[in-house]
Amino acid sequence: MFDRWLHSELVQQPGGDLSYEALVDSGRLSEDELLDCLGREVARNYIRPNELALVFDDLGAPEVATYVRTNKFPATVRVRHGDFGEIVTGALYRRVRRWCVPILKLRWKQTAGQAVQGTDVLAFRFREDPPVIAVPEVKTRATRKKALGQEAYASLEKVMDRLDESIHFAMARCSEAGPEFLVGHLAGLLRRPGHRVVERHMVFVHDTKTWKDDVVTLLAGVVQQRTELTVVKIPGLQDFVARVYKVAETGPSLAGKNGKGAGQ
């Protein structure tokens, strides 16, 4: 259902090296459908298939919910918002824009309350020659910050300097879980760093009410290389994220048909 959630809003392009797309709720999903869709997406980003089955034998849904709430999902609003932005971005590139997103980075969290180091999301078009890598810098904000764009651009430049580390991380994780053809593609990018195209992307997941396009204008003034900005506007973002995680804790993606054990 994810590809039915958002649609493009008419915006004025800032010009220069920055392109801008704003995405808003299409209204095609009911609130229950949307929460269920995003709840499933959140759960699968943290939890590998069958992982809970290794922890639980015959426990009910409440025990499963307690486990994921305590050990998987971050309790602090700041970290939870950051994770949610990465989850939405990964789904956007994978399900809507049809990039290859080889790993769900949050599955390798060692501590629920801390972010996983490295690039927020990596997306690839391996069939292009040379292959294309999209490197989105993700920011999630419920409150307004005029300098958000400049800060994100500075963060993106730091990520670009260490891109090979993030590619190697993705390759190592794919080598553990497969499929093998992705390992080969990622290894090729490391062996031939000159034979690839790297695109700078930014995704801001932002509260609708507090968003203003002057952030885009200021960002356009500092961008020095072609950069694609996507802003996902969500009304009442903080409350919305809390409700999505609540569904993720107790939804059908975590409990079997009889409320026992772990789902797929």
Side-chain angles (χ1 to χ4, degrees):
M1 292 185 188
F2 188 93
D3 57 355
R4 297 170 55 201
W5 172 30
L6 301 168
H7 74 109
S8 293
E9 182 181 53
L10 184 63
V11 297
Q12 182 175 352
Q13 292 299 318
D17 290 319
L18 183 68
S19 61
Y20 170 38
E21 181 180 21
L23 299 177
V24 296
D25 193 330
S26 68
R28 297 171 64 192
L29 298 176
S30 69
E31 182 174 290
D32 286 345
E33 288 176 323
L34 178 56
L35 290 174
D36 180 69
C37 168
L38 292 176
R40 289 173 182 270
E41 194 66 38
V42 164
R44 71 186 296 271
N45 268 263
Y46 289 98
I47 303 166
R48 298 174 183 86
N50 300 320
E51 178 182 349
L52 292 181
L54 300 175
V55 180
F56 300 115
D57 180 18
D58 191 29
L59 294 181
E63 289 87 354
V64 175
T66 299
Y67 174 81
V68 296
R69 183 168 56 247
T70 303
N71 298 286
K72 290 292 183 178
F73 299 160
T76 63
V77 171
R78 179 183 61 82
V79 177
R80 187 170 284 201
H81 281 193
D83 286 1
F84 180 76
E86 291 187 18
I87 291 167
V88 168
T89 299
L92 175 65
Y93 278 75
R94 184 175 64 255
R95 299 183 183 277
V96 180
R97 295 176 173 173
R98 302 302 180 185
W99 290 75
C100 173
V101 181
I103 65 168
L104 303 177
K105 192 180 73 171
L106 296 177
R107 289 182 178 179
W108 283 274
K109 270 198 171 204
Q110 292 182 308
T111 304
Q114 295 180 352
V116 183
Q117 296 300 306
T119 307
D120 292 334
V121 176
L122 277 180
F124 302 88
R125 296 200 191 279
F126 290 118
R127 294 184 179 181
E128 300 289 333
D129 188 16
V132 182
I133 310 171
V135 185
E137 174 68 18
V138 184
K139 299 293 185 186
T140 307
R141 296 291 185 271
T143 58
R144 170 176 161 74
K145 189 170 187 179
K146 194 174 182 180
L148 174 64
Q150 296 102 306
E151 292 180 6
Y153 190 71
S155 297
L156 178 58
E157 291 304 298
K158 292 178 181 178
V159 166
M160 298 295 290
D161 289 339
R162 304 181 66 175
L163 177 58
D164 278 4
E165 293 179 12
S166 294
I167 296 174
H168 187 274
F169 178 84
M171 182 187 70
R173 302 293 76 79
C174 285
S175 71
E176 296 167 354
E180 291 186 6
F181 77 90
L182 286 177
V183 178
H185 282 310
L186 293 165
L189 294 174
L190 295 174
R191 286 195 303 266
R192 303 175 65 192
H195 189 71
R196 66 192 190 193
V197 174
V198 181
E199 296 184 359
R200 289 166 163 78
H201 293 225
M202 296 183 187
V203 178
F204 299 160
V205 179
H206 208 285
D207 190 285
T208 304
K209 188 175 181 180
T210 60
W211 173 258
K212 290 188 178 179
D213 279 349
D214 59 353
V215 172
V216 181
T217 303
L218 290 172
L219 175 59
V222 301
V223 167
Q224 298 179 357
Q225 298 186 59
R226 181 172 176 79
T227 305
E228 297 184 19
L229 169 64
T230 303
V231 179
V232 179
K233 301 180 185 179
I234 300 177
L237 178 64
Q238 183 165 327
D239 177 66
F240 182 78
V241 173
R243 287 186 287 147
V244 168
Y245 271 81
K246 186 64 176 178
V247 171
E249 290 174 7
T250 58
S253 56
L254 297 182
K257 293 181 179 179
N258 297 318
K260 301 290 185 181
Q264 295 296 319

